[in-house]
């Protein structure tokens, strides 16, 4: 799809010949997911779900850098600093409802993850039926670096990735290219970025009359397979045995100890990365993913609702965003200087029900 100007609107919708399209249209902001975008996308998806003339939805980002680089973190940081808890509540509530809507969507939902796909961008892609990577895809859940957890459904999908790779991604915020995203099931297909428009055209031209919902899903899969190209072996895939050996531990402390004790450069690099993250967020994330492995999707979203409300209003989120996004000095002063200083009782308390109750997801 051609690049649109940002003055045309930050999210654009179209529907023709059975295909509905969404264009995230803030290329200079890497198509960040604002509350305004969520409030437009959610009702439009619901409208298309009920429209018999729409057989498939395609979501993509404007420009050649990003599908969607995350949520509007700066707005959440401003709310944190001013104590605007209502903004925090509203953003996460509406974003999480959108994530669930995509996961339960009754029609093929194709996310063209061409470029940076992180945080909130993961939430509007990973839950779709079809997730297409390109050679420009850069996938990550980097939240522990800003004092948060990998949310938008990370509680559910990360523990269900092969082995302990989900824990590795959630703790380190490691960035994956197309080969690794495809190898572990984050992406269902890989196409060259230059063929994006061809893929959309093929989906629009596909025969769809008299097809059942399952047949529609299969038809979309077949079309995408026509364009799919083997991305080869990625860097992460080459370290899967290392991840299983070093991250299959009973605590973050044990993971760090294993990394530091391993003399190989890759392990030392991972230890250095973990040392740069919020110790508090690391321990919360470990607990989050332990729980998520045992819970169904809706319960996972309730876990995220409880934890995100507390963390987003807390000091590590404020400091992490300041260091990484606002001042960009990359020198955060976390609430706990080390894993040993984190109070496990405080971690556990984050998962207790909120005074206002759990989130109504539907």
């Amino acid at each position: 799809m051609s690049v649109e100007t940002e003055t045309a609107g930050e999210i654009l919708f179209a529907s023709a010949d059975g295909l509905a399209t969404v264009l995230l249209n803030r290329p200079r902001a890497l198509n960040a997911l604002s509350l305004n975008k969520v409030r437009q996308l959610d009702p439009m998806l619901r409208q298309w779900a009920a429209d018999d003339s729409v057989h498939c939805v395609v979501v993509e980002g404007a420009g050649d850098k990003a599908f969607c680089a995350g949520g509007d973190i700066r707005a959440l940081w401003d709310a944190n600093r001013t104590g605007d808890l209502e903004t925090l509540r509203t953003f996460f509530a509406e974003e999480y409802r959108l994530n669930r809507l995509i996961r339960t969507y009754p029609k093929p939902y194709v996310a063209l993850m061409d470029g940076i796909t992180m945080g909130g961008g993961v939430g509007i892609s990973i839950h779709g039926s079809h997730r297409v990577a390109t050679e420009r895809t850069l996938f990550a859940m980097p939240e522990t670096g800003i004092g948060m957890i990998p949310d938008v459904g990370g509680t559910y999908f990360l523990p269900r990735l092969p082995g302990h790779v989900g824990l590795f991604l959630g703790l380190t915020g490691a960035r994956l290219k197309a080969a690794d995203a495809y190898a572990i099931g984050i992406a269902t297909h890989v196409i060259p970025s230059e063929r994006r428009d061809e893929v959309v055209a093929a989906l629009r031209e596909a025969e769809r009359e008299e097809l059942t919902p399952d047949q529609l899903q299969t038809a979309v899969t077949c079309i995408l397979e026509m364009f799919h190209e083997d991305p080869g072996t990625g860097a992460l895939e080459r370290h899967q045995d290392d991840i299983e050996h070093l991250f299959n531990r009973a605590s973050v402390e044990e993971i760090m100890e294993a990394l530091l004790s391993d003399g190989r450069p890759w392990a030392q690099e991972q230890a250095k990365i973990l040392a740069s993250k919020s110790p508090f967020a690391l321990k919360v994330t470990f607990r989050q993913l332990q729980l998520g492995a045992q819970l169904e999707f809706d319960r996972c979203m309730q876990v995220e609702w409880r934890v995100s409300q507390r963390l987003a209003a807390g000091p590590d989120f404020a400091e992490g965003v300041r260091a990484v996004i606002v001042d960009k000095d990359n020198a955060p002063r976390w609430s706990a200087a080390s894993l040993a200083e984190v109070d496990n009782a405080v971690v556990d308390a984050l998962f207790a029900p909120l005074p206002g109750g759990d989130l109504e997801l539907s």
Side-chain angles (χ1 to χ4, degrees):
M1 185 174 290
S2 61
V3 177
E4 303 286 343
T5 60
E6 296 200 27
T7 56
E10 67 174 21
I11 185 167
L12 306 177
F13 303 105
S15 178
D17 302 321
L19 186 71
T21 59
V22 179
L23 181 67
L24 308 174
N25 192 43
R26 292 178 68 196
R28 287 195 295 272
L30 301 179
N31 300 318
L33 189 67
S34 64
L35 181 57
N36 181 52
K37 269 202 187 91
V38 172
R39 286 180 167 173
Q40 293 183 69
L41 180 55
D42 185 292
M44 185 57 72
L45 288 177
R46 294 180 192 275
Q47 178 180 320
W48 285 335
D51 185 344
D52 290 340
S53 70
V54 171
H55 300 281
C56 179
V57 175
V58 174
V59 184
E60 56 185 323
D64 58 6
K65 293 183 178 179
F67 168 71
C68 175
D72 194 346
I73 297 299
R74 182 61 184 259
L76 297 176
W77 184 73
D78 288 338
N80 173 294
R81 296 183 70 216
T82 60
D84 183 3
L85 301 183
E86 180 60 23
T87 291
L88 298 176
R89 187 198 69 80
T90 300
F91 181 87
F92 286 102
E94 297 190 26
E95 183 182 30
Y96 291 177
R97 290 187 188 115
L98 175 61
N99 299 152
R100 183 181 186 274
L101 171 62
I102 293 168
R103 174 170 169 76
T104 59
Y105 208 63
K107 299 177 179 181
Y109 178 104
V110 181
L112 297 180
M113 303 186 300
D114 185 22
I116 300 169
T117 304
M118 297 184 184
V122 172
I124 59 171
S125 56
I126 191 69
H127 305 302
S129 60
H130 298 79
R131 306 170 300 276
V132 182
T134 77
E135 76 282 359
R136 299 190 296 210
T137 296
L138 197 63
F139 176 100
M141 295 294 284
E143 286 81 2
T144 57
I146 55 169
M148 274 292 288
I149 57 167
D151 62 339
V152 295
T155 309
Y156 183 83
F157 80 81
L158 286 172
R160 286 163 178 80
L161 295 177
H164 288 77
V165 70
L167 179 62
F168 166 76
L169 295 176
L171 293 177
T172 66
R175 300 182 176 193
L176 305 184
K177 294 186 178 181
D180 284 319
Y182 178 69
I184 64 175
I186 286 171
T188 59
H189 299 83
V190 179
I191 65 166
S193 59
E194 63 187 15
R195 303 196 73 183
R196 271 172 50 177
D197 289 349
E198 290 181 64
V199 169
V200 175
L203 290 169
R204 192 183 305 280
E205 294 164 5
E207 179 62 42
R208 56 191 176 273
E209 299 301 326
E210 306 301 327
L211 295 183
T212 66
D214 286 346
Q215 289 171 331
L216 275 173
Q217 296 284 0
T218 300
V220 169
T221 298
C222 290
I223 291 169
L224 294 176
E225 287 177 352
M226 291 170 54
F227 291 89
H228 173 74
E229 295 187 4
D230 184 356
T233 301
L236 179 69
E237 195 171 356
R238 291 192 291 270
H239 287 288
Q240 280 192 324
D241 289 343
D242 296 323
I243 291 171
E244 288 310 297
H245 172 62
L246 297 167
F247 282 77
N248 184 11
R249 308 285 167 158
S251 66
V252 185
E253 291 91 336
E254 289 189 17
I255 292 172
M256 182 64 85
E257 181 180 351
L259 291 170
L260 292 172
S261 299
D262 190 302
R264 291 170 296 174
W266 185 86
Q268 296 303 305
E269 179 62 21
Q270 304 319 304
K272 181 179 178 182
I273 289 170
L274 288 184
S276 72
K277 310 299 184 183
S278 159
F280 187 61
L282 289 175
K283 296 198 73 168
V284 175
T285 296
F286 188 90
R287 176 71 173 137
Q288 166 204 0
L289 300 187
Q290 276 187 319
L291 283 173
Q294 311 300 321
L295 301 175
E296 294 302 317
F297 182 81
D298 282 7
R299 292 300 301 151
C300 286
M301 297 308 295
Q302 298 298 351
V303 167
E304 293 184 7
W305 170 246
R306 296 174 183 183
V307 176
S308 67
Q309 290 302 284
R310 290 166 168 135
L311 287 185
D316 273 18
F317 178 69
E319 178 60 11
V321 176
R322 180 207 64 76
V324 175
I325 295 173
V326 180
D327 296 338
K328 299 181 180 179
D329 60 18
N330 292 305
R333 296 178 292 276
W334 302 120
S335 60
S338 67
L339 292 169
E341 292 185 17
V342 177
D343 187 337
N344 290 329
V346 175
V347 171
D348 291 341
L350 294 179
F351 295 85
L354 291 164
D358 281 330
L359 178 65
E360 183 64 45
L361 286 167
S362 58

